[in-house]
Amino acid sequence: MSLLTVDDLSVRADGGRALVSGLSFRVGRGDRLGLIGESGSGKSLTVLALIGLLSPGMTASGSVLLDGLAVLEASQRRLDRLRGRSVAVVFQEPLAALDPLMRVGAQVAGPLRRHRGLRGRALRGAVHDALAEVRLADTTRVARSYPYEISGGQRQRVAIAMALACEPALLIADEPTAQLDTTVQAEVLALLDDLVRARGMGLLFVGHDLAVVAAVTSRVLVLKDGREVESGTAAELLRAPAHPYTRDLVAAARRLHGTLAGLARRDAGDGGRVSRGPG
Ligand SMILES: Nc1ncnc2c1ncn2[C@@H]1O[C@H](COP(=O)(O)OP(=O)(O)OP(=O)(O)O)[C@@H](O)[C@H]1O
């Protein structure tokens, strides 16, 4: 059974025109789907609709089945249970997920305590393990730090550790590396790639940069003005984009990263592992 099945999803503001229109896609365990589009194309509204977090005044129609739950019709209580357990989201800005006044270790401990019932020494050990798993060196120092005392890349690693703490079946990553500089971005992408593979999770990766999205996903859906304009394997879209808009995205990615040769090499042979740099 598919983990996430989206059928004819549309999102409207106050009954006005559709901001997202007729989207359909599926993500199964171990699948990696990219959702790509320029600013304002409807990526964030789609993500919010999938997890039942659209703001008041926005309405979604169609159907979203996430781990067996019909999200658009679900009660708040069922949605609360779903988030964290079946699906976790990593957003662009890690500070949105972190409390600025709380030490990092206490924040990572929160979901581990709630979802896994851990306490005392076992909980401290699990916090250490969660921080080590996202390749943070000196986990003791990081755990004692406040979010503003660590770097942007370290904060995003902490946000990923919190998202993974409840062992979700599906990870949604909404432009998780957009705020990071190129080297750190490549490290965080490689980390996500490894974690998703190791845990056999489904991944929905949202972004505006085709080189980045293609580096961690196998299929890509291109969104423009809230509609799908094209979809296919990442390699197909990079080599032979059919829609003019996709061609623009490929051209933009080439300009940004100089060359897509690294990705082409990956697709040709080294088992789909993410290259250490997006270009
Ligand atoms: N609460 C809202 N009320 C009305 N319109 C909205 C609301 N939120 C988003 N929109 C509009 O819906 C469209 C899609 O927005 P969305 O935030 O999903 O785009 P996006 O692709 O995620 O862009 P970005 O990459 O800049 O985050 C935009 O035209 C936006 O102005």
Side-chain angles (χ1 to χ4, degrees):
M1 195 182 74
S2 178
L3 207 54
L4 172 67
T5 305
V6 177
D7 228 343
D8 201 22
L9 174 69
S10 296
V11 177
R12 290 188 153 72
D14 290 324
R17 80 183 166 90
L19 300 165
V20 172
S21 234
L23 277 192
S24 299
F25 55 85
R26 279 160 186 261
V27 182
R29 272 174 205 279
D31 287 350
R32 295 147 169 258
L33 177 71
L35 200 60
I36 181 163
E38 64 191 4
S39 183
S41 57
K43 305 181 297 291
S44 299
L45 288 180
T46 302
V47 167
L48 294 172
L50 298 183
I51 55 174
L53 276 182
L54 282 172
S55 48
M58 307 290 273
T59 50
S61 61
S63 135
V64 174
L65 203 61
L66 179 46
D67 210 8
L69 183 71
V71 169
L72 304 187
E73 294 81 36
S75 66
Q76 209 48 54
R77 196 174 57 86
R78 300 288 299 275
L79 287 172
D80 283 344
R81 268 216 313 250
L82 186 83
R83 292 185 215 117
R85 190 169 300 180
S86 300
V87 59
V89 189
V90 179
F91 290 102
Q92 181 176 134
E93 178 42 80
L95 284 176
L98 298 173
D99 182 337
L101 301 178
M102 201 173 168
R103 290 181 201 273
V104 163
Q107 300 196 53
V108 176
L112 290 168
R113 190 187 301 113
R114 277 195 304 279
H115 288 267
R116 289 174 40 195
L118 298 172
R119 300 285 184 275
R121 184 188 285 198
L123 182 58
R124 282 195 296 278
V127 168
H128 168 88
D129 291 349
L131 294 176
E133 194 185 9
V134 293
R135 299 184 198 146
L136 280 162
D138 198 355
T139 54
T140 308
R141 186 187 68 80
V142 172
R144 284 203 195 115
S145 303
Y146 289 95
Y148 65 84
E149 293 176 320
I150 59 178
S151 72
Q154 288 173 323
R155 281 197 288 266
Q156 195 56 293
R157 286 169 196 268
V158 171
I160 293 170
M162 288 172 69
L164 296 185
C166 317
E167 302 178 344
L170 176 71
L171 182 68
I172 300 180
D174 189 354
E175 308 235 25
T177 61
Q179 307 270 1
L180 306 175
D181 69 43
T182 312
T183 314
V184 181
Q185 180 180 58
E187 287 168 6
V188 172
L189 284 177
L191 171 69
L192 270 177
D193 186 66
D194 288 347
L195 291 172
V196 168
R197 188 184 314 276
R199 292 174 172 232
M201 285 184 287
L203 174 69
L204 179 67
F205 189 98
V206 177
H208 64 277
D209 180 346
L210 186 54
V212 169
V213 174
V216 281
T217 60
S218 44
R219 288 189 64 76
V220 177
L221 188 156
V222 182
L223 206 59
K224 180 176 181 0
D225 299 330
R227 293 177 185 275
E228 174 183 334
V229 294
E230 185 171 358
S231 65
T233 68
E236 277 163 11
L237 292 191
L238 288 168
R239 286 201 195 101
H243 194 280
Y245 180 67
T246 316
R247 288 203 283 274
D248 287 348
L249 293 176
V250 172
R254 282 185 198 283
R255 276 199 303 277
L256 255 176
H257 300 289
T259 174
L260 293 174
L263 291 166
R265 272 201 302 281
R266 180 207 77 171
D267 288 320
D270 72 354
R273 294 184 70 78
V274 66
S275 56
R276 294 289 132 170

